[in-house]
Amino acid sequence: PPLSQSKTSKRSEDSGKNTEQDLPKRIWYDLAMIKSSCSSCCTWFHAHGQNIGLFLLRVSMAIIFIYSGYHKLFGDMPAFTGMVAGLGFPAPAFFAWAAALSEFVGGIALLLGVFTRVFSALLVVVMAISIYATEASGFMGMTPAIALLGSSLAVFFTGSGSWSLCQLGRCC
């Protein structure tokens, strides 16, 4: 018979209320199975998801900053110093070295999860200047610096998370 003529639907029509008992038992069984299989997974993600996300964010930022800082420090520092001079900085060699060291050492600190707020603050400044320096190339030229600025701000405000060496020694 059609569902409208089943006993459960007659009961709900008679009482005027829809309760859990009115639905077919197999639906509730399926829902219970899904809930029980998802429960442990969801609980684990709820407990660890933020720390995993922060760890992955820190690692991806570290790769970029270490690579970029390394090539400035051990690659073509005179060209980078010339670019900083072109921005009008009063002591271009000092600021070029400061930016390159902030990227390289800051990337290592992010990777390890030590002093993340300190280095994130330095990297925010470096990325803000990078956005200013690349604005002539248009929005597409600025997008990597904008993404790294946002990532640096996120790590600055959230800290390193529990998957870091900082949590072992209780550093910044």
Side-chain angles (χ1 to χ4, degrees):
L3 186 59
S4 63
Q5 295 176 358
S6 71
K7 291 180 182 179
T8 57
S9 99
K10 284 182 185 177
R11 231 183 296 141
S12 68
E13 288 172 5
D14 294 340
S15 65
K17 298 178 185 176
N18 289 326
T19 63
E20 293 177 6
Q21 293 84 16
D22 294 335
L23 293 174
K25 291 197 186 282
R26 68 177 169 77
I27 293 175
W28 286 107
Y29 176 77
D30 292 344
L31 290 174
M33 292 302 294
I34 292 169
K35 184 178 178 182
S36 67
S37 66
C38 182
S39 178
S40 60
C41 178
C42 291
T43 302
W44 187 87
F45 274 109
H46 186 68
H48 302 288
Q50 182 178 7
N51 291 312
I52 293 170
L54 284 171
F55 174 73
L56 294 173
L57 178 65
R58 284 189 0 253
V59 168
S60 62
M61 290 171 62
I63 291 168
I64 295 167
F65 282 125
I66 291 170
Y67 180 81
S68 178
Y70 178 85
H71 283 285
K72 288 173 184 154
L73 290 171
F74 305 108
D76 200 4
M77 184 54 96
F80 182 59
T81 303
M83 195 266 316
V84 172
L87 293 174
F89 280 88
F94 170 78
F95 285 107
W97 278 94
L101 284 170
S102 293
E103 289 182 5
F104 186 70
V105 177
I108 293 169
L110 287 171
L111 184 64
L112 299 175
V114 294
F115 303 108
T116 53
R117 285 197 165 109
V118 172
F119 283 104
S120 291
L122 292 172
L123 293 169
V124 164
V125 173
V126 170
M127 289 299 100
I129 294 168
S130 178
I131 291 169
Y132 172 75
T134 58
E135 72 178 335
S137 63
F139 181 74
M140 291 308 293
M142 295 186 301
T143 53
I146 292 170
L148 288 169
L149 174 70
S151 299
S152 298
L153 284 168
V155 172
F156 176 76
F157 285 110
T158 59
S160 60
S162 65
W163 288 20
S164 65
L165 292 180
C166 193
Q167 292 301 314
L168 299 175
R170 299 292 176 209
C171 59
C172 182

